[in-house]
Amino acid sequence: MNEPQPGPDPAAGPPQLPGPYLAPGPYAGGTAWPAGPPQPLPNPPPNPPQWAHPAPYSGPYPGPYPGPHPWGPPPPRARWDVPPPPGTRYDRLARTASHRWWRPIAGTLAIIVAFLALSIALGLVAFIVSLVTGVPMVRSGTRLFADPVVDLGFQLGVIALLLPLVLGAAWLFQRRPPGSLSSVALRLRWRWLGVCLLVALVAVVLGQAVEAVTLMSAGVDPGFRWAGWEEFLPAIVVILLLVPFQSAAEEYAYRGWIIQGFGAYLRTPWPAILVGAAAFAASHGYTGWGIVYVFAFGMLMGWLAVRTGGLEAPIALHATNNVVAFGVVAASGDMGSAMEQGEVPWEALIGSAVQFAVFGIGVLIIARKWAIQTLSR
């Protein structure tokens, strides 16, 4: 039967070192160390020094250096184009934080030089194409090609080149979003443009009807004829494809660039609207009452651009008016006179006045009802 072994006596205190130390090894049997009082066993300190038990690395290296650069994408670069501040009117959209006095001037000169250079280059290309394909050229007056449909398409295409030039100048020289030429929303508002097109169609049809009645009552032929589908279809295809771009290009140049260019210096839009309308009239070949019509058209388009906060309304009326005007000429089969501009009888201004009134009032009523944005956000 196993008997319990005696355990350590708790009253004896901590364990003691053994008695006199005898040197081991080859010195055994030598003089023993003198016995001393019992010594307690050393206990480890509660917080050992760092040199005794170094902890593993768990943070950045000490010292003046912040440590390695954290992984991740680089910080975004500053934008080249600077948007206008909130609450800016359409004619003042070019006055951004990057505006300098020379930017509108340099951009205007660049547009003029680039447009002239491109026009000359396209003229040379047209001459080479004429030699290769055998399409005759006349090079007299405003005509370049003998075929009136080809000539109309070429001239409309050359005018449409103003559109990318103006948008590019706004981005490159003025360092602002190109969409700021379109509207205060910094883009073309397509839904609003569609509504303006419907109003423009009504206004143009009413204006054409009143003009025809007025001309016939005065004994003037309004020029409505039908030459047949064979002559109408090729012409109307070219008209529908290119007239919207030609009209938009003129609006971006005369109502967008000019009005906002002056707006970068002036607080009132009226001098810019006046200059834009004068430049628009000077670029056409009308005489007499025709100059009055084109100038009034430019004034109305400039005023509507500022009042509605964008070019949607001017583009809608300009494109609709030109499509209908060219379409009437195409239906008559007299495409040779499509680009001819000259004297306009004063009776025609009555129909134009009806067109302007219907479109202007209709657009303003819908814009107010729909709360169309007129200031930048």
Side-chain angles (χ1 to χ4, degrees), residues 184-196:
V184 292
L186 307 185
R187 60 179 177 80
L188 200 63
R189 299 167 292 187
W190 291 101
R191 185 185 180 191
W192 174 234
L193 176 62
V195 174
C196 292

Side-chain angles (χ1 to χ4, degrees), residues 164-375:
L165 293 180
V166 171
L167 293 174
W171 181 83
L172 181 61
F173 288 92
Q174 295 184 324
R175 292 189 59 183
R176 60 185 174 112
S180 59
L181 282 164
S182 300
S183 73
V184 292
L186 307 185
R187 60 179 177 80
L188 200 63
R189 299 167 292 187
W190 291 101
R191 185 185 180 191
W192 174 234
L193 176 62
V195 174
C196 292
L197 284 172
L198 294 177
V199 179
L201 183 60
V202 174
V204 170
V205 170
L206 288 177
Q208 287 285 335
V210 172
E211 179 180 339
V213 171
T214 305
L215 290 176
M216 287 188 296
S217 62
V220 180
D221 183 12
F224 293 147
R225 297 180 184 83
W226 177 246
W229 291 104
E230 184 177 353
E231 295 192 19
F232 177 72
L233 282 179
I236 198 62
V237 168
V238 172
I239 292 169
L240 291 175
L241 288 177
L242 295 179
V243 164
F245 295 99
Q246 168 260 329
S247 303
E250 292 185 358
E251 291 305 317
Y252 273 89
Y254 295 108
R255 252 64 69 182
W257 181 266
I258 291 181
I259 288 181
Q260 292 184 351
F262 276 85
Y265 307 103
L266 306 176
R267 294 185 177 276
T268 174
W270 286 109
I273 295 175
L274 182 64
V275 172
F280 181 68
S283 64
H284 289 72
Y286 290 104
T287 59
W289 292 106
I291 298 178
V292 176
Y293 161 71
V294 180
F295 181 79
F297 184 90
M299 291 291 293
L300 176 63
M301 296 301 98
W303 180 65
L304 286 178
V306 177
R307 283 295 302 270
T308 60
L311 294 179
E312 294 87 357
I315 291 174
L317 183 60
H318 198 156
T320 305
N321 180 76
N322 284 11
V323 167
V324 172
F326 284 128
V328 170
V329 177
S332 67
D334 189 18
M335 288 300 298
S337 63
M339 296 299 292
E340 293 181 2
Q341 299 170 348
E343 181 69 27
V344 174
W346 70 267
E347 291 87 356
L349 298 183
I350 300 177
S352 301
V354 172
Q355 178 191 115
F356 295 166
V358 171
F359 183 75
I361 296 174
V363 163
L364 290 180
I365 291 175
I366 298 176
R368 182 175 299 178
K369 183 177 180 180
W370 284 22
I372 294 299
Q373 179 183 345
T374 58
L375 299 175

Side-chain angles (χ1 to χ4, degrees), residues 102-183:
W102 54 269
R103 292 188 185 275
I105 300 174
T108 302
L109 294 177
I111 292 172
I112 295 174
V113 172
F115 181 73
L116 292 177
L118 285 176
S119 300
I120 296 173
L122 286 178
L124 294 176
V125 171
F127 178 72
I128 296 173
V129 171
S130 175
L131 294 178
V132 173
T133 61
V135 177
M137 301 182 69
V138 293
R139 300 186 296 277
S140 63
T142 59
R143 296 281 298 277
L144 187 63
F145 289 94
D147 189 326
V149 176
V150 175
D151 185 72
L152 177 65
F154 178 81
Q155 297 199 42
L156 292 177
V158 171
I159 297 174
L161 290 175
L162 278 172
L163 185 57
L165 293 180
V166 171
L167 293 174
W171 181 83
L172 181 61
F173 288 92
Q174 295 184 324
R175 292 189 59 183
R176 60 185 174 112
S180 59
L181 282 164
S182 300
S183 73

